[in-house]
Structures are given as structure tokens and as C-alpha cells.
Amino acid sequence: FIGKLMAKSIIDNITINLSFNNLIYKLILEEKIIFEDLKNIDTYLYSSLLSLKNMKPEELDLMEIYYTYQYEDSNGKLITDELIEGGEDKKVTDINDYIDKRMNYMVKKAKVLVEYIQEGLFAYIPKYVIKSLNSYELELLICGTPFIDINDWKKNSIYKGKFSKSSSCVKWFWEEMYKLDQENLRRFLQFSTGSSRVPINGFQNLESNRGEIAKYCLNSVPYNKNGNNFIRAHTCFNRIDVPVFKKKTEVHDAIQFVLKNITGFGID
């Protein structure tokens, strides 16, 4: 299912927040896994093995390390797997060989699951097409850019109804958006478009749910003197309906209301 979801994302050019470790993308593309990749998986293990690499042979001998790997299963039972045949009885004298065997063990475990992802992905997109990318490009293609450039967002936005670039309400809106950190920008973008990430080439490539270019749009709606002036989103078209607020504080309150109450694609 995940493989098919990735294929759908690529074919429809719609980014999804599939926050896999980069190792998964490397395994999908069958790229070589190196020792430095451990940094992104388990920093503690990486640091431990790095310290072993820097040990002198006599220091390593005192450590009494064997070609085994221990872990707890789902029931909390301690399991010991051998990295090589007879590993429980073979003492490590070559730390680089041990690290290679440990890496191969981890990759072998992960490949069992990755093969299913490959099956779903390659069923819709030929393997040779996907393998023309590197792991970073594949992740970017599926997940988009995690960093939100507010200048690019503003530059590629359009205005409808009574709004224009010079409208007071529009100016207040962007002033408030510039104050937000990346986390809250992602939350507001999720509310507005259904995705918390930006397409590869930025906001100019935002699309509607029909696959057509649909730039971010601020559309004016009448201001209700009796209250209940909420910003409403139409994620299919990347459009938000914004009441023609009379004060900057009202714009601030409306944006904060969205950020505090957003759940999934809507307001709770």
C-alpha cells in the first residue's frame, strides 16, 4: 500500500509527508549503504561503533565483543542473533569487519519490508525510471520541500473578490505570516492546501486536486459585524476565504484560531 501511495504521489505530482529515514529511500533505490548512514538511524549506535573503530587492538581485545546482535522482541524477550555462523563463539578482532557484518544484518532486516514497498511502487512506475533518481531526489519528489519560503509563498499568491496586493487586510495577513515559525507555517499550509510541504519548484507549482496549477489564493468574503469571522479553507483549490477585517488584531486572532484548532484538514 505504501509503495502504491508513493507512486500515486509521483504520478499526480502531489506531495505527501512520508517521513521515512533516508536509509529507506536508499534501500528502495538499492543504493550502497555506508557506515555514515548509521548517523541517521541510531546516533547512539553510530557513536559507540565509532569509538570502537578508534580503539587499539589490545583495547578491543579487552572488550570481549562477539559476532552477535541482541534485541528485545515485542514481548520483551531478549533475542540473540548471530552475525555470522558460530558468531556466539567468535571473538571480534577486526572491528571494521564486525561493523560491516552489523550493517549487513540491519540492511537485511529492513529489506524484507522494503521489498514490499518496491513491489507496490514498481507496479505503477517502471523500476528503471525510479532508479534514475538518487535517494535525496526521490524523497524530495514525494515529500516536497520541508522548508517554507514565505517570500516565495507571497510572490506566488493571487487575490480575488475585493482583495489586491495593496488591500490593508492582505498586508496584515502577510505581516502576521512573517511572524510565524516553520512549524506554524507548515500547520497553516496544511490547513490551506491539505499538504504541509511545498512542491519541488516552490509555490509556483501548487496544484489543485485535478492536477492543474492552482496558485495560493486569498479570496475576500463579507465581514460579519455580529462575529464568527473565521478564515475558511478550500484545500482542493488552495484557496482561503478571508473576511475583510477592519483591524490588524482581528487578522492576528483569526490566524491564531486556525493554528490552535486545526485537526487534519479542517477546523474542529
Side-chain angles (χ1 to χ4, degrees):
F1 173 76
I2 292 173
K4 291 177 180 178
L5 181 65
M6 293 168 72
K8 178 72 172 172
S9 168
I10 294 170
I11 292 169
D12 290 351
N13 195 28
I14 296 175
T15 58
I16 54 177
N17 191 11
L18 201 60
S19 300
F20 282 148
N21 188 288
N22 185 255
L23 176 67
I24 300 298
Y25 289 104
K26 291 189 75 170
L27 288 174
I28 290 171
L29 296 173
E30 298 173 356
E31 292 181 1
K32 181 176 176 59
I33 308 301
I34 61 175
F35 177 64
E36 294 300 316
D37 289 323
L38 267 180
K39 276 185 183 179
N40 302 319
I41 307 167
D42 189 329
T43 53
Y44 178 76
L45 176 60
Y46 173 79
S47 298
S48 298
L49 292 177
L50 187 61
S51 64
L52 290 176
K53 282 174 71 76
N54 296 326
M55 280 186 177
K56 296 177 181 179
E58 57 270 22
E59 293 176 322
L60 182 62
D61 186 58
L62 293 173
M63 293 292 292
E64 294 283 333
I65 302 173
Y66 293 85
Y67 281 89
T68 59
Y69 175 71
Q70 290 187 326
Y71 64 94
E72 287 187 357
D73 65 10
S74 57
N75 297 316
K77 182 181 178 182
L78 188 64
I79 306 295
T80 300
D81 284 349
E82 293 185 328
L83 301 180
I84 60 173
E85 187 175 350
E88 281 190 301
D89 300 316
K90 184 168 178 57
K91 193 173 180 180
V92 174
T93 56
D94 183 344
I95 192 60
N96 290 318
D97 181 62
Y98 171 75
I99 289 174
D100 286 342
K101 297 292 192 299
R102 184 74 176 266
M103 292 287 294
N104 289 337
Y105 172 88
M106 295 175 68
V107 169
K108 188 177 179 180
K109 285 280 188 181
K111 271 187 174 179
V112 175
L113 298 176
V114 170
E115 284 173 358
Y116 286 106
I117 297 176
Q118 289 175 314
E119 182 180 342
L121 177 59
F122 297 152
Y124 293 91
I125 302 177
K127 184 176 181 178
Y128 74 88
V129 173
I130 294 297
K131 292 197 72 175
S132 67
L133 305 170
N134 61 40
S135 58
Y136 174 76
E137 291 169 336
L138 178 59
E139 182 178 10
L140 199 60
L141 188 62
I142 295 171
C143 301
T145 307
F147 178 78
I148 295 176
D149 184 343
I150 190 68
N151 291 321
D152 182 48
W153 190 346
K154 182 179 178 182
K155 177 183 176 182
N156 287 287
S157 292
I158 59 175
Y159 309 98
K160 290 186 177 180
K162 294 184 178 180
F163 283 160
S164 68
K165 287 183 179 180
S166 59
S167 299
S168 296
C169 192
V170 169
K171 289 181 179 179
W172 294 334
F173 174 83
W174 290 116
E175 286 174 10
E176 291 300 319
M177 295 298 285
Y178 272 104
K179 296 176 184 178
L180 301 180
D181 58 20
Q182 284 292 310
E183 177 60 28
N184 280 317
L185 284 173
R186 283 192 289 269
R187 287 172 61 80
F188 198 89
L189 184 64
Q190 174 85 47
F191 162 75
S192 307
T193 68
S195 174
S196 62
R197 293 190 172 217
V198 185
I200 294 177
N201 293 322
F203 281 89
Q204 64 179 338
N205 275 19
L206 275 184
E207 293 185 354
S208 68
N209 65 342
R210 297 175 183 173
E212 303 164 343
I213 294 296
K215 288 197 172 184
Y216 194 83
C217 176
L218 274 71
N219 178 57
S220 70
V221 294
Y223 180 82
N224 186 350
K225 294 180 180 180
N226 298 320
N228 295 329
N229 288 293
F230 302 115
I231 296 174
R232 301 185 183 277
H234 302 271
T235 57
C236 294
F237 310 105
N238 304 322
R239 188 185 85 206
I240 56 172
D241 291 341
V242 182
V244 185
F245 291 110
K246 309 299 182 184
K247 301 176 183 177
K248 184 177 179 179
T249 53
E250 292 178 316
V251 178
H252 170 84
D253 292 344
I255 291 173
Q256 290 302 313
F257 182 84
V258 168
L259 297 175
K260 291 175 182 177
N261 294 279
I262 182 173
T263 53
F265 291 102
I267 292 290
D268 184 15

